[in-house]
Amino acid sequence: MKVTVNKVDDANIIVSGTIENSAVEENINKMAVQAGKEMKVDGFRKGKVPAHVVKKLHGDKLAQDAEGEVLRELIDAGMKEAGINPADMLGQPTFKKYDKTDSGIDVEVEISTRPVFEAEGHMDVLPAFERPTASDKEIQEKLDEIAAQQAPYTKIKRKRMVRDGDMVVIDFEGFVDGVAFDGGKAEKFSLKIGSGQFIPGFEEQIIGMKYDEEKTITVTFPKEYQSSDLAGKEAEFKVKLHEIQEQVPAELNDELAQKLLQGEENATLEMLTDRVRTQIESTEISKLYNEDLKPKLVEALVEKFDFALPNNIVEQEIDAKVNAKAREMSEEELNSYKDNPEKIEALREEVRADAVASVKATFIVDALAKKEEVSVDDQEVSQAIYYEAMMSGQDPQQVIKYYQENNLLPAVKMGMIEDKLFGKMLGLDK
């Protein structure tokens, strides 16, 4: 078998050759003989099925497998001639030609490999920035906010009318067409005015009520209300106000710090202040990193390093970006692309530059992470997903299962490695 290898660039080669019919037929015969030793066919002893019978029963499958075997031999020969280690091949080979002729099959296949480049000078492109610091005013405002959150509701010392933000203690009973409905009655119920806990319009009508005042409130249940018997209907609530409560901010002292910093031995207000300062600065640093530093650093690194990219990986990224755009299209837009290869190709070219930059950035991050000895293990990935799920009120186990079933864990891991690497480069890990 004659194999020709043409180097496209440092990451891609074209292997071409002709798979002769005789080579395919020879493989078919070998496979038929081997299959005959393992098959069981009526009229023949097991292991004694003649090759011509096997070919008659499974000719198409044998031909397909035989072609595949010879094709693998052609690709292996091309890689050997090009001096490519099989471990460096990325993805599946891409067929440029697969033409069947009377004498055989003319094959042309592109093989892509992992890029190799000198990962030097990456610290030269770091964007300049000033590390955010928390001002005394910001720290005090945050401490005051914490103190307010920790304050219990207490009965007001002097009687007055209800204000927005008050906690009220009320009795209420609801009626529709003069008939009380299930679940519409409660006594000594605590309701924060402005919380939006009740039907729209209810809490607003409590404002201005006085101690022991009784009032009839008229509201309309939303059309999408959970109970179909009440949805969209007008209701009257008889309400009696018992008590008004307000929050008195807790005093900022060591006692409050000890309450908030449980587990910290001998916690003080100074320790709480330092914790608040760190929290404010971390939030600002995270915002600065995601909105400014990270995009600038990625752009600078992509521009800094020049190397060939594996074409099949670039095409996969283009596919992903085109599919993402398709998901945002209306049905009318999608239909305009049907049976219109020119328009589809134009869309692919539209996203090509972004796809190239994205693939290039991935290989740069991978190389720099190895150079800087930055890594993330699977446990760190699971912990990060678990924490994010908890913070968003989702079931962590279900979220992790979703990531596993949709093969999203590698992307999460790569993103974490990228952030860890960039954080080290920018000195944000200190």
Side-chain angles (χ1 to χ4, degrees), residues 223-238:
K223 291 182 180 180
E224 64 278 7
Y225 192 68
Q226 57 192 14
S227 171
S228 58
D229 293 336
L230 299 174
K233 293 185 177 179
E234 185 178 273
E236 288 186 343
F237 283 86
K238 293 181 179 179

Side-chain angles (χ1 to χ4, degrees), residues 3 15 69-84 86 89 111:
V3 176
V15 176
E69 182 64 31
V70 180
L71 177 61
R72 280 191 290 273
E73 292 173 3
L74 182 145
I75 292 173
D76 290 344
M79 291 178 64
K80 185 176 180 180
E81 184 174 327
I84 295 174
M89 187 173 78
I111 297 171

Side-chain angles (χ1 to χ4, degrees), residues 172-225:
F172 65 84
E173 185 173 14
F175 300 84
V176 171
D177 296 329
V179 180
F181 55 86
D182 291 340
K185 181 178 181 181
E187 295 181 354
K188 300 293 178 67
F189 185 88
S190 295
L191 171 66
K192 184 176 181 179
I193 304 302
S195 65
Q197 184 179 351
F198 272 33
I199 306 163
F202 185 98
E203 294 171 25
E204 291 83 348
Q205 295 181 62
I206 298 292
I207 295 174
M209 288 184 69
K210 301 175 183 178
Y211 266 68
D212 298 321
E213 180 181 348
E214 295 184 16
K215 183 177 183 179
T216 298
I217 290 175
T218 302
V219 293
T220 301
F221 281 94
K223 291 182 180 180
E224 64 278 7
Y225 192 68

